Amino acid sequence: QKEVEQDPGPLSVPEGAIVSLNCTYSNSAFQYFMWYRQYSRKGPELLMYTYSSGNKEDGRFTAQVDKSSKYISLFIRDSQPSDSATYLCAMRENNAGNMLTFGGGTRLMVKP
Amino acid sequence: DTAVSQTPKYLVTQMGNDKSIKCEQNLGHDTMYWYKQDSKKFLKIMFSYNNKELIINETVPNRFSPKSPDKAHLNLHINSLELGDSAVYFCASSQELPGSVQFFGPGTRLTVL
């Protein structure tokens, strides 16, 4: 079993839908949680970054962390075709040399 | 004004060869990383390096070695390439401070024939 699990998808939604992307993890020492977006043949780019539990909102994106359940989510409101990409969750322990552990990514397709 | 750049973008080579991938960052960051992304998009850390220490993922074969000529560069050298080394390799960089955001390069697609 991998440390971080993520449904690979693909997840196909119509434009304007609310998208929910999720990751589960097994390492209770993870303290920092990130979501990266990766377009085809490009490098990952950071979308959201949260520390410990709670919610964080940035425009159409909301990140949620539930440490008690070892579960994190990314919500995308009013999804756009330009949101079509692979979304990778990543997490890190407090003292781990900044080394991230990634999920396998969920491929999202938003259809016009 | 690319933040993290890698060369080459594509690399096709034969089994047994030795190759290097170059990475440069102009963000003034202290720490650089190499990741490997397999065909299933699974992104795995290989190395974390700053001027104080090199942290190696224990699963990385010793055929892989990072070389840093200066703070802005971290190259990846691979000896005796194997078919299983075919993947996309990403360089990243960040500040040294815990929790600093990592910025990724565009990737190098390595194909071993």
Side-chain angles (χ1 to χ4, degrees), chain A residues 36 38 41 49 92 98-99, chain B residues 33 37 55 99 102 109:
Chain A
Y36 280 82
Q38 186 177 20
R41 307 221 169 223
Y49 181 85
R92 191 179 74 78
N98 273 338
M99 293 176 75
Chain B
Y33 313 83
Q37 188 171 46
I55 301 176
Q102 292 184 23
R109 186 171 293 272

Side-chain angles (χ1 to χ4, degrees), chain A residues 29-99:
Chain A
F30 285 139
Q31 294 283 348
Y32 296 89
F33 303 91
M34 288 137 273
W35 285 95
Y36 280 82
R37 178 176 61 197
Q38 186 177 20
Y39 291 114
S40 181
R41 307 221 169 223
K42 300 287 186 183
E45 55 177 334
L46 184 70
L47 268 182
M48 299 290 283
Y49 181 85
T50 52
Y51 172 71
S52 195
S53 285
N55 294 359
K56 185 174 183 178
E57 188 174 321
D58 184 2
R60 296 185 296 112
F61 299 90
T62 299
Q64 285 185 354
V65 175
D66 182 350
K67 289 189 68 183
S68 62
S69 302
K70 297 191 182 68
Y71 187 88
I72 70 170
S73 300
L74 177 70
F75 298 96
I76 308 174
R77 290 183 298 281
D78 187 25
S79 56
Q80 302 295 311
S82 58
D83 294 328
S84 298
T86 296
Y87 289 79
L88 301 153
C89 63
M91 38 200 86
R92 191 179 74 78
E93 297 180 23
N94 206 23
N95 296 301
N98 273 338
M99 293 176 75

Side-chain angles (χ1 to χ4, degrees), chain B residues 3-16:
Chain B
V4 183
S5 59
Q6 295 177 229
T7 54
K9 192 168 183 177
Y10 299 96
L11 181 56
V12 181
T13 188
Q14 300 286 334
M15 276 177 56

Side-chain angles (χ1 to χ4, degrees), chain A residues 38 41-44, chain B residues 4-11 21-23 34-35 37 43 87-92 104-110:
Chain A
Q38 186 177 20
R41 307 221 169 223
K42 300 287 186 183
Chain B
V4 183
S5 59
Q6 295 177 229
T7 54
K9 192 168 183 177
Y10 299 96
L11 181 56
I21 305 172
K22 295 184 177 181
C23 177
W34 277 104
Y35 287 85
Q37 188 171 46
L43 196 63
V88 182
Y89 292 84
F90 287 98
C91 176
F104 283 78
T108 295
R109 186 171 293 272
L110 171 65

Side-chain angles (χ1 to χ4, degrees), chain B residues 9-79:
Chain B
K9 192 168 183 177
Y10 299 96
L11 181 56
V12 181
T13 188
Q14 300 286 334
M15 276 177 56
N17 283 351
D18 301 340
K19 290 292 178 186
S20 291
I21 305 172
K22 295 184 177 181
C23 177
E24 177 181 1
Q25 55 93 6
N26 62 6
L27 297 166
H29 287 162
D30 305 294
T31 305
M32 297 182 72
Y33 313 83
W34 277 104
Y35 287 85
K36 178 182 180 181
Q37 188 171 46
D38 61 26
S39 57
K40 295 185 178 179
K41 292 288 189 180
F42 192 57
L43 196 63
K44 192 168 185 179
I45 183 74
M46 299 176 72
F47 304 101
S48 166
Y49 180 80
N50 62 29
N51 60 356
K52 296 174 189 170
E53 66 177 335
L54 169 67
I55 301 176
I56 303 170
N57 184 320
E58 61 190 14
T59 66
V60 175
N62 58 14
R63 298 181 296 104
F64 290 79
S65 56
K67 298 186 191 303
S68 180
D70 55 58
K71 205 169 86 164
H73 297 82
L74 184 67
N75 303 326
L76 181 65
H77 191 74
I78 316 169
N79 289 327

